[in-house]
Amino acid sequence: MSLRKSTGDSQNLGSLSPGKKQSKENTITINCVTFPHPDTMPEQQLLKPTEWSYCDYFWADKKDPQGNGTVAGFELLLQKQLKGKQMQKEMSEFVRERIKIEEEYAKNLAKLSQNSLAAQEEGSLGEAWAQVKKSLADEAEVHLKFSAKLHSEVEKPLMNFRENFKKDMKKCDHHIADLRKQLASRYASVEKARKALTERQRDLEMKTQQLEIKLSNKTEEDIKKARRKSTQAGDDLMRCVDLYNQAQSKWFEEMVTTTLELERLEVERVEMIRQHLCQYTQLRHETDMFNQSTVEPVDQLLRKVDPAKDRELWVREHKTGNIRPVDMEI
């Protein structure tokens, strides 16, 4: 895939004197990447208009806020991916802490349900009180099941999602970095060839001026040799530019492909986390429902508490006599 077309031919390039170069450039190269010149920039259509896609907005390098260098746009995308992985891991750790709280809470509820306080309460109120204590054991079981489901359905999937992600991102980073290094190497070759061409053109121009001053066969031979060297230098420059453009096209293609893949991975990560957080809220709703069911028997018994009936039962069991005292007779 060619990003831009070369203009001119090697013969014209090699024969062109430094003073006859174009005054206005159509491109500008920044950190070995060639962009349209701001003064002559043609309108560029986004690859994925209206989508704010990664493949459209990370071509240039950005000043490193922590140093004097720059950070490649692709490196920012990788940092975003690795940060996402870290956030996912921290969410898993957060859920793990939630599980510990549930387990400790269940343990304390179960322990409290065995407490003997007020165990001697009698009658319908005593039955209701016993059910209150039993409901704690039932609630403890609910919370244990909730913590187990949190582990299997939320914490574990969050922790294990893309276990080899960092390794995969490292490979991806090395691949794009290698292409960028190759591009930098090609650019260095272009600059070296450009410098060589400038020297050959200057030499040709100097010998041409000497010929105008003094005609000699030796000078004419020198001019022919200088012209051949200048033409060769022009050919070398065109070859280096072509190799540079090939390297930049390869980098461009891989950038588009890889940034779109990173975009897909980020969407997938967010959706995965959303789904598991939805599962968390669903489990919470279920836990609330089950907790409610543990107190329903308590409510039923509390509605049946009858102080009068309790008094009757207690009196029947503990009465000492129903003959009342009377006045003493003389």
Side-chain angles (χ1 to χ4, degrees):
M1 180 179 181
S2 178
L3 300 181
R4 63 186 180 89
K5 295 180 179 179
S6 299
T7 57
D9 55 55
S10 58
Q11 180 64 40
N12 290 337
L13 187 61
S15 303
L16 195 64
S17 66
K20 296 179 182 178
K21 288 183 180 178
Q22 286 182 303
S23 60
K24 185 158 240 176
E25 297 288 344
N26 292 324
T27 61
I28 183 172
T29 302
I30 303 173
N31 290 345
C32 305
V33 180
T34 302
F35 298 97
H37 196 284
D39 296 336
T40 59
M41 189 185 326
E43 184 177 354
Q44 283 189 337
Q45 180 71 30
L46 293 174
L47 298 175
K48 299 185 74 175
T50 73
E51 294 189 30
W52 290 95
S53 175
Y54 289 169
C55 70
D56 278 317
Y57 294 98
F58 292 90
W59 292 107
D61 297 339
K62 188 175 183 179
K63 182 175 174 56
D64 187 353
Q66 299 179 346
N68 297 323
T70 58
V71 179
F74 185 76
E75 187 65 28
L76 291 176
L77 291 177
L78 279 182
Q79 291 174 8
K80 163 72 171 168
Q81 293 289 317
L82 294 175
K83 181 181 178 182
K85 175 65 177 176
Q86 179 62 25
M87 294 303 98
Q88 167 195 324
K89 179 175 178 288
E90 291 181 14
M91 287 180 190
S92 178
E93 293 171 352
F94 180 89
V95 175
R96 180 60 202 155
E97 291 302 311
R98 181 76 170 89
I99 291 170
K100 289 180 181 178
I101 291 172
E102 287 295 323
E103 291 173 341
E104 187 66 23
Y105 183 51
K107 178 182 175 182
N108 289 334
L109 283 177
K111 182 179 179 181
L112 185 58
S113 72
Q114 301 299 318
N115 192 291
S116 62
L117 289 173
Q120 295 180 0
E121 181 61 58
E122 300 172 322
S124 59
L125 181 59
E127 292 178 12
W129 175 246
Q131 187 60 46
V132 167
K133 293 167 71 175
K134 183 179 182 303
S135 73
L136 294 187
D138 294 339
E139 187 179 352
E141 186 64 26
V142 169
H143 284 277
L144 277 178
K145 289 180 179 178
F146 175 52
S147 66
K149 286 189 175 182
L150 275 183
H151 172 67
S152 62
E153 299 179 23
V154 182
E155 180 211 0
K156 194 173 180 180
L158 283 175
M159 180 61 76
N160 294 339
F161 184 65
R162 296 177 183 162
E163 290 183 275
N164 299 320
F165 189 68
K166 286 187 177 180
K167 186 183 294 184
D168 294 340
M169 287 299 99
K170 199 168 186 180
K171 289 180 182 177
C172 188
D173 185 18
H174 286 167
H175 177 58
I176 296 297
D178 287 345
L179 291 174
R180 188 70 184 266
K181 287 177 183 176
Q182 185 181 43
L183 184 62
S185 176
R186 297 297 188 197
Y187 179 73
S189 297
V190 169
E191 290 302 292
K192 183 178 179 180
R194 196 188 305 279
K195 182 179 178 181
L197 174 60
T198 300
E199 292 175 354
R200 294 303 180 188
Q201 287 176 332
R202 188 179 296 115
D203 183 58
L204 175 60
E205 188 173 11
M206 182 184 67
K207 285 183 167 54
T208 301
Q209 291 174 352
Q210 289 176 351
L211 179 62
E212 292 174 354
I213 298 172
K214 181 180 179 182
L215 293 175
S216 70
N217 291 334
K218 187 175 185 303
T219 305
E220 290 179 1
E221 186 62 31
D222 287 346
I223 289 176
K224 289 179 181 179
K225 186 184 294 185
R227 185 173 288 116
R228 283 196 302 271
K229 289 183 178 180
S230 180
T231 300
Q232 182 61 49
D235 290 341
D236 290 344
L237 176 58
M238 292 300 293
R239 181 180 58 81
C240 289
V241 168
D242 186 53
L243 290 173
Y244 168 85
N245 285 336
Q246 290 178 33
Q248 183 166 259
S249 291
K250 178 63 176 175
W251 173 74
F252 171 83
E253 291 168 0
E254 290 299 313
M255 274 285 289
V256 171
T257 301
T258 309
T259 54
L260 288 177
E261 176 62 11
L262 294 182
E263 188 175 297
R264 184 192 68 78
L265 289 173
E266 177 63 5
V267 171
E268 185 179 73
R269 182 190 75 90
V270 171
E271 183 59 25
M272 181 278 298
I273 292 176
R274 187 193 70 82
Q275 289 176 359
H276 285 89
L277 292 182
C278 284
Q279 181 63 15
Y280 166 79
T281 59
Q282 178 62 30
L283 290 173
R284 280 286 291 111
H285 290 316
E286 291 177 2
T287 300
D288 290 342
M289 182 180 66
F290 292 139
N291 278 336
Q292 183 62 34
S293 69
T294 66
V295 297
E296 287 175 0
V298 178
D299 288 336
Q300 293 172 5
L301 288 175
L302 286 174
R303 284 192 289 270
K304 293 178 181 179
V305 170
D306 185 343
K309 185 67 175 175
D310 285 357
R311 185 172 65 251
E312 177 189 342
L313 293 173
W314 189 85
V315 169
R316 283 180 180 276
E317 184 177 352
H318 299 285
K319 64 183 178 178
T320 61
N322 59 350
I323 303 301
R324 297 183 298 278
V326 296
D327 290 343
M328 179 186 298
E329 295 181 357
I330 297 176

